[in-house]
Amino acid sequence: MNKELAIDADAAVRHARFGKLPERIRYEDMTTLVEAAPGGGDTYTPEHSWKVSSCVALDLGL
């Protein structure tokens, strides 16, 4: 088989597969609007504040 012919065949296969960019996706199709919970959702409680705060001593297990 001729080497140039094989390269052209490979190039044709590559071009058929990757020759054009995919269709553009609109910004509206990439985002979803979700209604927030009434009242702001979860409220702060001192008993559970350790769950959301970061402490180096706790992270190190001291």
Side-chain angles (χ1 to χ4, degrees):
M1 181 176 228
N2 190 356
K3 186 175 182 178
E4 288 181 18
L5 193 58
I7 291 174
D8 289 341
D10 291 340
V13 170
R14 261 192 318 276
H15 183 70
R17 184 171 180 191
F18 304 111
K20 66 176 189 168
L21 294 173
E23 296 296 321
R24 185 179 175 130
I25 300 173
R26 298 182 321 162
Y27 180 75
E28 293 82 19
D29 295 336
M30 292 188 284
T31 58
T32 304
L33 296 177
V34 179
E35 293 292 326
D42 296 333
T43 58
Y44 173 78
T45 55
E47 298 86 28
H48 300 285
S49 65
W50 63 271
K51 293 180 183 178
V52 294
S53 63
S54 177
C55 179
V56 175
L58 289 176
D59 291 341
L60 296 175
L62 300 176

